[in-house]
Amino acid sequence: MRPLSLRTRTLLVVCVVVFVPVLFTWLTSPFEEAIEHSMRRSLKACTQDAIQLVRVQSPNSRYQELAESCSIWIRVFSPDGTLEADANGLGEPSWRERILFAPDPVPTLIGVDPELPPLSERSTVKTAEARGQAGICHLHQNGRLFICEYARHVELATQSTPRIIHAQSSSSRSLSNLYAERGAIMRLSLLVMLVAIVLGIWLSWRLTKPLGLLRDAVRERTVPVVSTSRIEVVGDDEVAELGHAFNDLLSALDTKNQANEAFMADMAHEIKNPVAAIRAVSESLERRPEVDAERAERLAKILKDSSARLDAVVNRFLELARAESGLPRADKSEVRVDELVKNIVESFSTDERYTAIEFDLASFKATVLGSAAHLETVVRNLVANAASFAKTAVRVRVERREDWVVIEVSDDGKGIAEDDLPRVFDRFFTRRDDGGGTGLGLAMVLALTRAHGGKVRVESEVGKGSTFIVELPALTGLSS
């Protein structure tokens, strides 16, 4: 089933808001009529319990307990008007009553009782003295308060003077007047409904029109050619904020597209040389099909070296592409970074290529959640980069700083020029004097670090060396 449109739902909400008060009045007021029977039964039952208290001459505290349990007002007095017990168990007005009667105060029995005749002169008391019991219910405060009274004449075996038990309870009639005027309210509601429908149509149009324009603008950028040009946003309301969010998304997509284009250009540049070598061999064989042993060996070496370089370039680019996509399929587990770094530094210390370099390690226990193989690539690339530029020493430090595991790799080389610092992590950027390296090592460090939710930066001073700092989210509770 197709969901209702925003325009239809807006109109329905307007109609419901208009008719809810009317419906509430129609459904609630009849229930107030049934309260009279309930109040009469409750007064009779509680008065019967009060008779037992009168006969055993109970203290006022017992009457108070009974009054609170029945939510009534009980008074016991002699025919001459002497009050012997007065227990008020009526509660405070409810929040519903306060809202419906606002701003006027809620009518209560305690507030109305002083306006009534004295107890001994009330009709229920006189009837009870003549007939033994009497009850009556009536409206006060212009029909806003419904009061029920019940009186009982009690003869005492131990005393010659009888007692009168008088019990009262009340109920506010917050909707009675509204119910009496339900016809006028209905006519008024129909008039308001016409106005509400017009306003609802305008409101739904006001809400849906900018959304429709935004929808059309987004769809225009999908045909015939996908475009990342910005959407024109008008105003500063919530729909405009949505438009700005779409523009942010389009900007991110445009940046990603440019990165992909640069990635493909870099890859094409890298494979151009080995492909050119293979092509040259094929053209040479086409011109001179005859091949002697010496020429065959030379051509075979060119093909072997070119294919190996081509394979290495493709593999490096695939690894970099996976890293830049966030390593979606990588298995991650708890990794002791301090142990991983220790093993890598030890391997470099025993490498014959770096016998002139002193490797210094200071590490503390630190654990992260990640891919051990990819984290090893991060550290190995940093240490190899530092070793290639160091004069005499490479310093590696692992420590925990609040919620981060920090890896610092420093060298005492020539440092990095200030103009080159922003480009250090770019693909194929290198300043090695020996012409070695591919220029992908630090780009891989950046991509793998971000894939682990971390960040990397470099600090350098020309003539004194450089320090690369990697920060990874620590595994809480398992690192110290």
Side-chain angles (χ1 to χ4, degrees):
M1 182 177 178
R2 185 177 180 182
L4 298 176
S5 66
L6 180 59
R7 181 179 287 105
T8 303
R9 281 180 283 175
T10 302
L11 288 175
L12 286 177
V13 169
V14 171
C15 294
V16 169
V17 169
V18 172
F19 268 109
V20 159
V22 179
L23 185 63
F24 183 73
T25 302
W26 276 71
L27 294 179
T28 305
S29 295
F31 287 103
E32 292 187 342
E33 304 300 327
I35 295 178
E36 178 180 351
H37 304 289
S38 175
M39 292 172 64
R40 287 180 180 273
R41 289 194 301 269
S42 177
L43 284 174
K44 287 184 178 181
C46 294
T47 303
Q48 190 65 35
D49 294 335
I51 292 175
Q52 304 301 323
L53 299 180
V54 171
R55 287 175 176 169
V56 297
Q57 299 182 0
S58 300
N60 194 76
S61 60
R62 296 292 304 278
Y63 290 99
Q64 185 65 39
E65 293 174 3
L66 177 62
E68 291 178 356
S69 65
C70 297
S71 297
I72 62 175
W73 189 359
I74 300 176
R75 283 174 283 191
V76 179
F77 57 94
S78 58
D80 61 0
T82 303
L83 193 64
E84 296 185 1
D86 188 347
N88 187 349
L90 301 174
E92 293 292 327
S94 66
W95 63 269
R96 170 179 168 273
E97 293 172 324
R98 296 180 189 275
I99 292 176
L100 292 174
F101 281 103
D104 297 328
V106 180
T108 61
L109 178 57
I110 298 176
V112 171
D113 192 73
E115 302 174 2
L116 301 177
L119 287 176
S120 60
E121 297 180 7
R122 296 187 186 182
S123 61
T124 51
V125 173
K126 292 183 177 297
T127 303
E129 289 177 335
R131 299 181 181 179
Q133 60 182 352
I136 189 174
C137 293
H138 44 86
L139 290 170
H140 284 269
Q141 294 272 322
N142 296 324
R144 300 194 306 163
L145 184 67
F146 186 71
I147 300 175
C148 280
E149 300 181 44
Y150 187 75
R152 186 73 179 265
H153 183 269
V154 182
E155 295 288 348
L156 300 178
T158 59
Q159 297 183 24
S160 59
T161 304
R163 299 292 187 272
I164 303 296
I165 301 176
H166 184 268
Q168 289 176 289
S169 63
S170 64
S171 173
S172 62
R173 291 300 178 91
S174 54
L175 297 177
S176 296
N177 294 335
L178 292 178
Y179 186 71
E181 302 294 334
R182 59 190 180 279
I185 293 176
M186 178 61 71
R187 290 190 294 272
L188 178 62
S189 296
L190 291 176
L191 178 61
V192 173
M193 174 62 70
L194 294 177
V195 178
I197 289 176
V198 174
L199 291 177
I201 293 174
W202 176 84
L203 180 62
S204 62
W205 172 82
R206 182 68 180 83
L207 289 174
T208 56
K209 182 181 178 180
L211 289 175
L213 294 175
L214 182 61
R215 176 201 59 205
D216 295 340
V218 173
R219 285 179 175 174
E220 287 175 359
R221 282 152 180 76
T222 61
V223 289
V225 179
V226 176
S227 171
T228 57
S229 60
R230 294 178 64 84
I231 297 172
E232 182 180 357
V233 179
V234 179
D236 56 356
D237 55 9
E238 290 79 359
V239 178
E241 291 179 1
L242 181 60
H244 290 303
F246 269 112
N247 282 334
D248 293 340
L249 175 62
L250 291 172
S251 297
L253 290 175
D254 185 58
T255 301
K256 187 66 176 178
N257 290 339
Q258 293 179 12
N260 289 337
E261 291 175 3
F263 187 88
M264 296 304 298
D266 292 339
M267 185 173 182
H269 174 76
E270 279 296 297
I271 65 176
K272 184 177 181 179
N273 290 335
V275 169
I278 294 173
R279 182 178 181 180
V281 170
S282 65
E283 291 176 350
S284 176
L285 289 174
E286 186 179 18
R287 290 193 304 269
R288 293 175 53 195
E290 66 281 359
V291 180
D292 54 28
E294 180 180 355
R295 185 175 178 226
E297 181 180 359
R298 185 174 69 257
L299 294 178
K301 185 176 185 305
I302 293 175
L303 289 174
K304 182 178 180 180
D305 292 345
S306 298
S307 61
R309 179 170 176 77
L310 189 60
D311 182 66
V313 169
V314 172
N315 287 335
R316 286 200 303 271
F317 269 96
L318 286 175
E319 292 176 1
L320 184 57
R322 293 192 191 101
E324 290 181 343
S325 65
L327 302 176
R329 300 179 187 84
D331 294 330
K332 295 183 179 181
S333 59
E334 298 176 13
V335 180
R336 283 285 301 275
V337 178
D338 53 312
E339 295 179 354
L340 183 146
V341 172
K342 178 182 178 183
N343 294 333
I344 293 175
V345 172
E346 288 179 351
S347 68
F348 273 87
S349 299
T350 57
D351 193 324
E352 294 181 356
R353 294 174 297 174
Y354 306 114
T355 54
I357 305 297
E358 178 185 353
F359 291 89
D360 178 51
L361 173 64
S363 65
F364 300 87
K365 182 180 178 182
T367 307
V368 301
L369 182 65
S371 169
H374 292 103
L375 290 176
E376 180 178 352
T377 300
V378 171
V379 179
R380 190 172 292 278
N381 284 357
L382 288 177
V383 175
N385 181 76
S388 64
F389 286 101
K391 296 177 181 177
T392 61
V394 171
R395 295 174 298 278
V396 182
R397 180 177 180 85
V398 180
E399 63 179 344
R400 172 78 178 267
R401 296 178 187 171
E402 296 181 351
D403 295 331
W404 297 89
V405 171
V406 181
I407 306 171
E408 294 184 357
V409 180
S410 305
D411 64 72
D412 60 350
K414 62 181 182 180
I416 304 172
E418 185 175 354
D419 293 341
D420 290 339
L421 284 175
R423 304 171 55 198
V424 165
F425 297 103
D426 291 349
R427 290 190 292 266
F428 302 112
F429 178 80
T430 181
R431 283 289 186 261
R432 291 192 179 184
D433 297 332
D434 57 5
T438 62
L440 292 177
L442 294 180
M444 182 69 75
V445 168
L446 176 63
L448 290 175
T449 301
R450 288 178 174 175
H452 283 81
K455 46 193 175 182
V456 59
R457 66 181 190 276
V458 60
E459 298 174 356
S460 184
E461 186 175 352
V462 176
K464 294 186 178 181
S466 305
T467 299
F468 286 84
I469 304 167
V470 173
E471 298 179 8
L472 300 170
L475 197 58
T476 305
L478 295 178
S479 302
S480 61

